[in-house]
Amino acid sequence: MTTEDPPPIRRLADWDPAQLRDLAAEYDTPLYVLDQGRVRENVANLQTAFHDEHVSYAVKANTVRRTLETVEDAGLDAECASAGEVQRAVDAGFSTVRYTAVNPPSEDLDHVVALHEAHPEIDLVVTIGAVDTLDALVERDYAGPLAIRVNPGVGAGHHAKVTTGDAPKFGVPYDRVPDLADEIVERGYDLVGLHAHAGSGIHGEDDLAAHRELVARMGDLARDLDHDLDFLNVGGGLGVPYHPEQDPLDLDAVAEATRDAAGDLDAQLGIEPGRYVVADAGVLLTTVNTVKPTPETTVVGVDAGMTTLLRPAMYDAYHEIRSLADDADDRDEVTAMVAGPICETADVLGRDRRLPRPECRDVFAIGNAGAYGYEMASTYNSRPRPAVVSLDGTGETSVAVERETLSDLTRLEGQQ
């Protein structure tokens, strides 16, 4: 690796603490910080490793407009899971969009079909995971190309809630795909591809083994179908090391293993990473409100919580936490629980963390917050969502998403 090559992972310790303190002071907290320069580096890493494959960005990982524009400019296409994501992708300038419809509501299909009719210049493919979705598209006179989402019976991921490849919710059962493929063609549609996805946060050897098995099964299916395909998309889910002691993925080895598992194909092999593109490009900044010693631990109350960053409460996910106090290195360490302001026991961002003795008004940074951070934020407990600031990679900073206010929360309720 040369000094010009993008590093495989950006750790929380690699962020400039003085810059983060300044951002917290200028924009207040809770605050998401997204570094577009790092997004570009991650895209470059993927393009280097998967040099012969079609690489799309799984938009659901982070739909902030500034980030979508960065990804599009860097050369990736868009993989979307909802009509709203399709619209965001189009608005951000993507010209190739794949919509993988998961039990799509009627309103989603109405919107996507209308968008396809209004923008014939956009290469839009709808990927269906049920026969009923095909029927619904026929009813709407959709005339574009179709792909099939396959349930290959192989799943992997960092948590059971994000393991999709063997979950019955997702995709057409493997052995029923040939019949659906025939029906699609008989109804006059252009069948252009197959799609499958093992799960999210694939990192360990067991996960990678499941990914290889999925790819191998999908390669066999693509070769056995009596239809020519343009692409075989074997999903994303490439994991990043959330724990500081974890090693990053050997992306070149994963790419080579994916190619080997797929075997010889007439269709183009494709992947759709989301987390890998944006996770380490984002941090969450939060301010200490209270410090409460208890017999069990020191409870550090901060102004970010499960409504700001849901992953710890929903998935028991680990995010590294760092004190940005300018004298942090001179303080004694304590064992702490970092907890938010939400009235729920689950509202904990980190347990049993060794941190410099915290004080009120200290600012903490929470790492790997660029994926499924702001994207999963909510207004539970009537808490406005945080602001997002964007670093453009040259030192310039701008607001990408304004901070919500209490008035924003009640704006749609009308006059009482």
Side-chain angles (χ1 to χ4, degrees):
M1 175 177 290
T2 67
T3 56
E4 289 78 18
D5 289 327
I9 191 69
R10 187 179 191 182
R11 308 285 187 178
L12 184 56
D14 296 328
W15 292 79
D16 180 356
Q19 181 187 36
L20 295 179
R21 284 195 300 269
D22 289 346
L23 291 173
E26 181 175 358
Y27 296 102
D28 205 359
T29 62
L31 179 71
Y32 276 101
V33 180
L34 294 176
D35 185 345
Q36 306 304 327
R38 182 57 192 171
V39 172
R40 294 186 192 95
E41 290 178 347
N42 287 334
V43 171
N45 284 337
L46 287 162
Q47 291 170 328
T48 299
F50 291 91
H51 46 79
D52 292 327
E53 287 70 45
H54 180 267
V55 184
S56 298
Y57 170 60
V59 169
K60 69 176 184 173
N62 189 306
T63 62
V64 171
R65 174 70 171 266
R66 201 74 51 80
T67 299
L68 292 181
E69 290 173 343
T70 299
V71 172
E72 191 280 330
D73 184 66
L76 301 192
D77 295 327
E79 173 72 33
C80 303
S82 71
E85 289 180 9
V86 171
Q87 186 64 60
R88 283 176 177 265
V90 171
D91 291 345
F94 286 92
S95 59
T96 299
V97 178
R98 291 176 182 164
Y99 167 43
T100 303
V102 181
N103 303 329
S106 295
E107 293 81 2
D108 275 36
L109 294 180
D110 290 342
H111 188 90
V112 170
V113 171
L115 189 148
H116 176 262
E117 294 172 352
H119 295 279
E121 75 280 4
I122 294 175
D123 180 10
L124 174 65
V125 176
V126 177
T127 302
I128 62 172
V131 175
D132 286 345
T133 303
L134 174 60
D135 294 337
L137 289 169
V138 171
E139 291 172 2
R140 288 162 173 78
D141 295 323
Y142 172 71
L146 293 177
I148 300 174
R149 179 162 185 170
V150 181
N151 186 315
V154 180
H158 69 84
H159 193 280
K161 292 180 181 178
V162 295
T163 299
T164 58
D166 57 356
K169 172 180 177 178
F170 297 99
V172 177
Y174 188 87
D175 58 356
R176 298 181 189 174
V177 171
D179 288 342
L180 179 56
D182 291 344
E183 184 174 354
I184 287 171
V185 173
E186 288 168 2
R187 292 196 183 197
Y189 284 101
D190 186 11
L191 176 64
V192 295
L194 299 178
H195 171 286
H197 178 59
S200 185
I202 295 171
H203 196 270
E205 185 52 43
D206 288 345
D207 289 343
L208 292 172
H211 171 71
R212 288 191 293 269
E213 182 180 351
L214 177 145
V215 174
R217 296 201 74 190
M218 293 299 295
D220 289 342
L221 181 61
R223 283 183 290 272
D224 290 343
L225 280 185
D226 294 327
H227 306 281
D228 293 331
L229 303 174
D230 293 338
F231 67 84
L232 172 62
N233 184 333
V234 293
L238 303 177
V240 299
Y242 283 87
H243 289 263
E245 66 274 12
Q246 282 183 304
D247 293 328
L249 276 179
D250 183 339
L251 205 58
D252 290 334
V254 173
E256 188 63 31
T258 302
R259 285 188 283 270
D260 289 346
D264 292 331
L265 295 170
D266 292 329
Q268 183 175 33
L269 185 62
I271 62 165
E272 52 170 55
R275 183 190 311 273
Y276 189 92
V277 175
V278 292
D280 71 347
V283 295
L284 170 62
L285 305 182
T286 183
T287 300
V288 175
N289 298 323
T290 59
V291 181
K292 180 172 63 177
T294 73
E296 297 87 1
T297 189
T298 298
V299 180
V300 184
V302 297
D303 62 2
M306 61 186 289
T307 55
T308 322
L309 179 65
L310 180 60
R311 297 188 71 256
M314 187 169 184
Y315 304 125
D316 298 318
Y318 181 98
H319 286 262
E320 188 180 1
I321 301 174
R322 178 186 182 190
S323 173
L324 299 179
D326 55 9
D327 62 346
D329 292 341
D330 299 326
R331 298 185 189 181
D332 295 333
E333 286 192 344
V334 300
T335 300
M337 170 195 290
V338 180
I342 310 304
C343 188
E344 297 283 351
T345 306
D347 184 35
V348 175
L349 298 175
R351 303 176 187 273
D352 298 323
R353 302 301 180 86
R354 295 294 294 173
L355 294 169
R357 177 181 42 79
E359 298 177 1
C360 287
R361 308 311 302 166
D362 284 348
V363 176
F364 287 175
I366 301 175
N368 276 343
Y372 307 104
Y374 184 81
E375 196 63 27
M376 299 180 78
S378 75
T379 59
Y380 179 52
N381 271 193
S382 289
R383 294 200 173 276
R385 288 181 295 177
V388 181
V389 297
S390 177
L391 311 180
D392 72 357
T394 65
E396 292 296 319
T397 303
S398 59
V399 176
V401 182
E402 298 282 352
R403 186 179 304 279
E404 282 185 333
T405 66
L406 289 175
S407 296
D408 292 327
L409 300 189
T410 57
R411 179 173 55 84
L412 298 179
E413 295 180 11
Q415 300 297 317
Q416 301 298 319

